[in-house]
Amino acid sequence: MTSTSVSSAPVVTEDPSEAGHLPRGPRRRGVRSVVTSRGLLAVVLAAIPLGALLLAWHLLTEYQVVWWLRFDKIPGPAEVYSTLTTQLSSGPFYNDLLVSLRRILLGFSIAAVGGVAIGAMIGRSRLASALLRPLIEVFRPIPAIALVPLAILLFPDGEQGIVFITFFAAFFPVTVSTIHAMHALPPVWEDAARTLGAGRMSILRYVVLPGAMPGIFSGLSVAMGVAWICVISAEMISGQFGIGYYTWQSYGLLDYAGVVVGMVSIGLLGWSTAWLVERLGRRVNRWLPRAAS
Amino acid sequence: MSGETPSERSGWRSEERAEPSAERVRSRARPEEMSCGASVRLSGLKLAFGDTDAAEIDLDVRAGEVIVLLGPSGCGKSTILRALAGLLEPVAGLAQVGESVVAGSAQPPSSSGVLARKRSPKNVGRTQCAMVFQDDALLPWRTARRNVEYALKLRGVPRGRRQPEAEQLLRQVGLDGFGDHLPGALSGGMRQRVQLARTLAAQPRVLLMDEPFGALDAQTRSEMQRLLCSVWQQHKTTILFVTHDVDEALLLADRVVLLTPRPARVRRIVEIESPRRPGAQFEPDFARRRYEILASLGDVPGAAHEEVSAS
């Protein structure tokens, strides 16, 4: 009830120190300890299946179990760990990681921007839909990996080809989810904006895009997963650097521990980018009622 | 004068306004904030929803008048408002606000190109008619204040002046201190208050209200009706209010327009003497009028038949 609340603070005022963990909701004293213990619980719960997997892996390889599945030549966790530590102290490995990350972020960002733009056009304009929809439907079923030969011919060097393939893979989930999100918007938001005098552009920018963000972000999550699959595959086929290339090269050198190191790295990188997208999505869509739970 | 509303209690925060004197004067502090109502003329306005006829209306509304369109659910009342708001293109006829045509052909209806016109009238009718919807028309990712600020931005209010003006409007509808709440965190009645503030921010010459209190409980609804009366006292816009609640119609209207079932046509117009008098609903006159209207809508056993067949 005071005029001090007039500050330009965005949407929901949160204690900044807790903003990371606590969705909007009641601000009580002692919330912090609840949050940290809940965070601890989450870590413990996440560790249980991962730990069990590690243990099973260790036992299966240690005792070289051969029971239809053959674990006798699979490297064990200890071996993989030692390979990992040697790799972590070497420059080329980091280079591979960074190259893959750069490719994925580049391809994914272009796909995100382009997919939302094209999706919004198709979702909002009947003409754009008539023009572009068939084009998209023709290209959509083509696996991005099938583009490798063409990408090699098209682009001056392999780097751009791989980024293009990543972009191609990520583009369609974003576009399609954007189109669906546009169509799922309650018409009353747009009606209200129009009676207040909003034009097409204003409605697009202030009503349609923010309202479609939940749907767009579910597309972005899917796109990030697909992008990883394709960047790794493309690196395996045509790359010169990158974690996919590293993995494939280790296989060529019969360095199976190296293959597993590559797989684990891909898993961790993929997880962190997915987390980033999720995190950003929650921030953008924190007005959603379910965001509070 | 209706009962005390929250907006009248908050005069103490008016330092920044030009005239700090009486509370009533506050809303008139800036001349451009006085959005005077415009007259509305619907002539031969014919609306359709898909292939079925929704409404056929002739109606003259005086500037600053409160008109309640009353009819059974689904009779096409809302389509009339939608046409005025530029959201629905009429099949035939004209809707005028003041001197300008907001829906229908710019030429007289007799000329040929009635059907040929595209959706240009929305450019003409912009912000002349702003609409309050039944529910959930607020942008849920914007706080109450930012919802109002969006309407101010659309009106062309410079950035720096939007926030104080939005807070002023929220105060007017009794939402002082709730500016930073998201619509999802507000009750249904409060959300409708925000909608009202947002719509007033556009300074419409005609306020269209499409069953705005229909989803509220009885007590909140009567609170909102009182609020609307006091807001109308300050702004004196023309109001076209759609409802199927007879009591609400009698409490708010200068004139109640009874509509037939689909397609909606004007069945009868009931003038209310001394409209919006507090306590009017407890007088015998009110009950009599209520009975008349219900009978005319076919809701009273016995009285129903001759009325319906007479239409």
Side-chain angles (χ1 to χ4, degrees):
Chain A
M1 288 287 279
T2 61
S3 52
T4 51
S5 64
V6 171
S7 72
S8 61
V11 207
V12 183
T13 48
E14 285 175 342
D15 185 345
S17 63
E18 289 169 1
H21 308 280
L22 188 68
R24 75 193 158 79
R27 278 166 294 159
R28 277 173 273 120
R29 301 285 158 220
V31 154
R32 187 176 198 125
S33 64
V34 174
V35 165
T36 48
S37 74
R38 198 189 287 166
L40 198 68
L41 185 68
V43 169
V44 170
L45 286 179
I48 290 173
L50 287 175
L53 185 72
L54 262 180
L55 185 68
W57 179 20
H58 172 72
L59 293 175
L60 287 168
T61 49
E62 180 69 22
Y63 295 101
Q64 307 204 337
V65 175
V66 177
W67 189 65
W68 190 61
L69 287 174
R70 295 163 298 160
F71 288 93
D72 51 343
K73 292 196 183 63
I74 300 286
E79 199 183 333
V80 168
Y81 181 75
S82 77
T83 311
L84 182 64
T85 44
T86 45
Q87 288 300 340
L88 283 179
S89 56
S90 82
F93 183 69
Y94 288 105
N95 188 41
D96 284 331
L97 290 180
L98 285 179
V99 164
S100 288
L101 261 183
R102 198 185 63 202
R103 286 168 180 161
I104 198 133
L105 291 182
L106 212 56
F108 177 81
S109 310
I110 301 172
V113 173
V116 170
I118 302 281
M121 275 166 71
I122 293 176
R124 298 290 296 164
S125 145
R126 218 166 275 179
L127 178 67
S129 173
L131 283 173
L132 297 175
R133 199 83 203 239
L135 206 62
I136 283 182
E137 295 301 333
V138 165
F139 278 100
R140 184 149 78 111
I142 302 174
I145 278 306
L147 292 178
V148 167
L150 280 183
I152 289 171
L153 291 177
L154 266 176
F155 289 93
D157 70 62
E159 191 59 31
Q160 291 132 3
I162 291 174
V163 170
F164 170 71
I165 285 163
T166 316
F167 153 79
F168 187 88
F171 175 75
F172 294 102
V174 180
T175 310
V176 172
S177 68
T178 305
I179 296 172
H180 286 299
M182 301 271 139
H183 290 161
L185 287 179
V188 69
W189 292 344
E190 192 182 334
D191 286 350
R194 270 176 67 186
T195 74
L196 294 171
R200 249 181 113 98
M201 277 298 134
S202 177
I203 285 174
L204 184 66
R205 177 158 169 213
Y206 294 103
V207 179
V208 169
L209 279 181
M213 275 302 160
I216 290 174
F217 265 91
S218 71
L220 289 178
S221 288
V222 175
M224 187 52 103
V226 180
W228 269 110
I229 293 171
C230 290
V231 81
I232 297 299
S233 318
E235 283 173 354
M236 284 181 166
I237 295 174
S238 75
Q240 284 178 331
F241 302 102
I243 195 68
Y245 173 75
Y246 165 83
T247 308
W248 199 245
Q249 202 194 25
S250 304
Y251 173 61
L253 300 171
L254 304 182
D255 173 12
Y256 295 114
V259 170
V260 179
V261 165
M263 285 164 56
V264 170
S265 316
I266 294 165
L268 289 177
L269 282 180
W271 189 11
S272 48
T273 52
W275 179 82
L276 270 179
V277 172
E278 170 107 339
R279 197 58 207 285
L280 188 66
R282 272 215 219 132
R283 190 158 189 84
V284 170
N285 297 316
R286 62 178 157 192
W287 51 275
L288 284 180
R290 66 170 180 273
S293 64
Chain B
M1 272 307 299
S2 63
E4 190 186 48
T5 64
S7 64
E8 287 165 318
R9 275 185 265 120
S10 54
W12 57 277
R13 284 196 55 184
S14 59
E15 316 82 62
E16 48 166 310
R17 321 301 301 168
E19 283 174 60
S21 55
E23 286 159 354
R24 269 274 162 256
V25 183
R26 186 163 47 85
S27 66
R28 272 182 262 149
R30 269 192 235 136
E32 76 268 19
E33 253 180 46
M34 268 291 288
S35 45
C36 296
S39 62
V40 176
R41 165 169 294 195
L42 311 177
S43 27
L45 189 70
K46 198 171 166 191
L47 303 165
F49 214 78
D51 284 335
T52 49
D53 285 348
E56 260 187 270
I57 295 287
D58 280 282
L59 186 65
D60 276 315
V61 181
R62 293 185 290 270
E65 194 178 18
V66 182
I67 287 280
V68 175
L69 302 172
L70 183 68
S73 293
C75 79
K77 311 180 285 274
S78 306
T79 57
I80 301 167
L81 296 194
R82 292 181 68 80
L84 273 167
L87 299 173
L88 180 72
E89 186 70 2
V91 177
L94 273 185
Q96 283 168 283
V97 170
E99 293 306 308
S100 52
V101 175
V102 295
S105 171
Q107 292 94 36
S110 55
S111 80
S112 56
V114 177
L115 286 169
R117 269 171 58 91
K118 283 264 175 184
R119 278 186 160 170
S120 50
K122 74 179 176 211
N123 301 324
V124 188
R126 247 189 223 167
T127 64
Q128 303 237 46
C129 302
M131 181 125 102
V132 176
F133 297 83
Q134 185 167 4
D135 198 9
D136 293 330
L138 295 173
L139 303 176
W141 54 90
R142 286 178 163 251
T143 59
R145 176 165 51 76
R146 304 243 307 132
N147 262 287
V148 179
E149 283 176 14
Y150 181 50
L152 293 170
K153 174 187 159 68
L154 290 172
R155 205 186 79 208
V157 176
R159 189 183 289 269
R161 272 176 43 202
R162 284 179 211 152
Q163 183 171 332
E165 219 166 297
E167 303 205 332
Q168 152 86 3
L169 282 159
L170 286 173
R171 253 198 312 281
Q172 234 179 74
V173 298
L175 281 183
D176 206 357
F178 288 95
D180 285 328
H181 285 56
L182 288 174
L186 297 173
S187 70
M190 289 165 124
R191 283 203 296 273
Q192 291 309 81
R193 284 169 193 255
V194 180
Q195 254 208 80
L196 186 58
R198 180 176 74 171
T199 312
L200 291 174
Q203 292 187 351
R205 302 179 70 199
V206 178
L207 194 53
L208 307 171
M209 306 190 79
D210 187 6
E211 303 198 28
F213 312 141
L216 304 177
D217 62 89
Q219 198 191 336
T220 314
R221 173 186 284 228
S222 75
E223 246 170 61
M224 291 298 290
Q225 288 161 355
R226 281 201 301 275
L227 173 70
L228 181 63
C229 287
S230 93
V231 164
W232 178 82
Q233 292 279 351
Q234 293 175 29
H235 293 259
K236 289 284 161 60
T237 59
T238 311
I239 298 183
L240 264 77
F241 192 106
V242 157
T243 184
H244 55 252
D245 181 335
V246 178
D247 290 341
E248 188 165 67
L250 288 172
L251 284 171
L252 295 176
D254 289 302
R255 289 189 292 161
V256 180
V257 178
L258 301 184
L259 298 173
T260 63
R262 189 172 283 244
R265 290 195 181 87
V266 177
R267 188 205 295 267
R268 231 180 97 194
I269 296 181
V270 180
E271 291 259 3
I272 310 289
E273 302 138 29
S274 59
R276 292 173 295 280
R277 195 151 37 85
Q281 65 267 44
F282 308 113
E283 289 166 16
D285 221 26
F286 189 91
R288 184 180 53 75
R289 238 191 229 111
R290 186 169 187 276
Y291 181 85
E292 270 175 27
I293 289 177
L294 285 171
S296 153
L297 291 173
D299 257 10
V300 177
H305 285 293
E306 69 265 36
E307 283 286 345
V308 171
S309 53
S311 75

